């Protein structure tokens, strides 16, 4: 009898199998990005003079830097709200029976099955002067005049938090599901209270899910053009709308391209920080 054929190494497949995906990536991601970079290196809208004038204009303009700062701050606020509200939901999912788990996961996934435009218009109705919140507060006698909730930072944060909540809750559910429930019992049997068990056992082991949820939520919140524009109105300006105004309204394509590159680098910097924290937390959780 001949020798049994050696098992094939899973990494021995030719790189040609990845060629279609690589070609798609080059055509629809790398090429537009290079064109955007090339366009941003022109000092005039006619594209006749090369230079870094657009970048210098943005980085020395207090208004542009303010728009960038407010956008990054908005992402941090939305991420914090999603984390505070999403963690109890994920924790409750791991503590209830299968029937309630089905209901919770349906509630979490339901927003993903609805268009962002529809959800945003729903929040416009809820936050309006005659909306559900103001009508309820007035009927209870808490307020006499309607509160201004729409076209405010508070309204944008609440609407974005509801829209992006699944991106935070789902990684948390996965991370909490990997924690051995016997650890909680062991901690309690050793005399630790509920809060001490949470901060010393549950939270450290769930940090990879927290970091993953924060990364997804932050990146989605600061680029949510529709929700920022409709709920925020014209009284607040964030980077996606600032970019749209420069490109479509003012036809200043080189400056719009420079805004895009700077915004992309800022987002990559924040995501890199989250990624670094994720690696550190993974080692901390396994320790």
């Amino acid at each position: 009898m001949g020798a049994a054929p050696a098992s094939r190494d899973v990494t021995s497949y030719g790189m040609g199998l990845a060629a279609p995906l690589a070609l798609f990536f080059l055509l629809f991601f790398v090429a537009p990005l290079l064109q955007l970079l090339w366009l941003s290196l022109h000092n005039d809208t006619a594209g006749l003079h090369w230079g870094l004038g657009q970048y210098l204009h943005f980085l020395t303009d207090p208004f542009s830097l303010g728009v960038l700062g407010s956008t990054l701050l908005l992402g941090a606020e939305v991420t914090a709200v999603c984390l505070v509200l999403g963690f109890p939901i994920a924790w409750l999912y791991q503590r209830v029976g299968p029937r309630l788990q089905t209901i919770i996961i349906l509630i979490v996934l339901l927003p993903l099955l609805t268009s962002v435009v529809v959800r945003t218009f729903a929040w416009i109705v809820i936050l309006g002067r005659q909306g559900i919140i103001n009508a309820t507060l007035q009927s209870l006698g808490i307020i006499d005049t309607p509160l201004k909730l729409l076209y405010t930072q508070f309204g944008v944060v609440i609407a974005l938090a509801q829209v992006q909540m699944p991106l935070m809750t789902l990684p948390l559910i996965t991370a909490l599901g990997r924690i051995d429930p016997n650890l909680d019992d062991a901690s309690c049997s050793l005399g630790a209270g509920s809060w001490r068990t949470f901060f010393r056992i549950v939270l450290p082991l769930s940090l990879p899910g927290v970091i993953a949820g924060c990364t997804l939520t932050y990146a989605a919140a600061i680029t949510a053009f529709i929700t920022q524009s409709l709920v925020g109105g014209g009284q607040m300006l964030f980077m996606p709308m600032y970019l749209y105004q420069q490109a479509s309204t003012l036809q200043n394509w080189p400056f719009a391209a420079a805004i895009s590159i700077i915004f992309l680098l800022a987002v990559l910097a924040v995501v890199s920080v989250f990624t670094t924290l994720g690696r550190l937390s993974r080692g901390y959780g396994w320790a």
Side-chain angles (χ1 to χ4, degrees), residues 232-251:
Q235 302 181 20
M236 287 177 293
L237 185 61
F238 300 105
M239 287 296 283
M241 176 56 75
Y242 190 35
L243 173 61
Y244 174 79
Q245 289 178 350
Q246 295 295 326
S248 297
T249 305
L250 302 178
Q251 296 291 310

Side-chain angles (χ1 to χ4, degrees), residues 74 78 152-161 227-228 231-232 236 238:
L74 175 68
V78 173
T152 62
Q153 183 86 3
F154 171 80
V156 175
V157 171
I158 294 301
L160 281 174
T227 306
Q228 293 175 6
V231 179
M236 287 177 293
F238 300 105

Side-chain angles (χ1 to χ4, degrees), residues 6 10 35 41 49 51 54 56 73-74 99 102 129 136 144 151 191 196 214 245 256 264 274 276 280 282 284:
V10 295
Q35 185 179 11
L41 295 176
H49 303 285
Q54 305 298 343
L56 294 176
L73 178 61
L74 175 68
R99 182 171 300 178
T102 303
R129 293 181 64 84
T136 303
D144 296 327
Y151 308 137
R196 190 172 185 181
C214 289
Q245 289 178 350
L264 176 63
F274 281 128
T276 303
L280 296 176
R282 191 180 303 120
Y284 180 66

Side-chain angles (χ1 to χ4, degrees), residues 115-134:
S115 170
V116 175
V117 178
V118 174
R119 282 182 283 168
T120 301
F121 274 107
W123 274 107
I124 292 176
V125 174
I126 294 173
L127 298 174
R129 293 181 64 84
Q130 305 300 325
I132 298 174
I133 296 178
N134 277 318

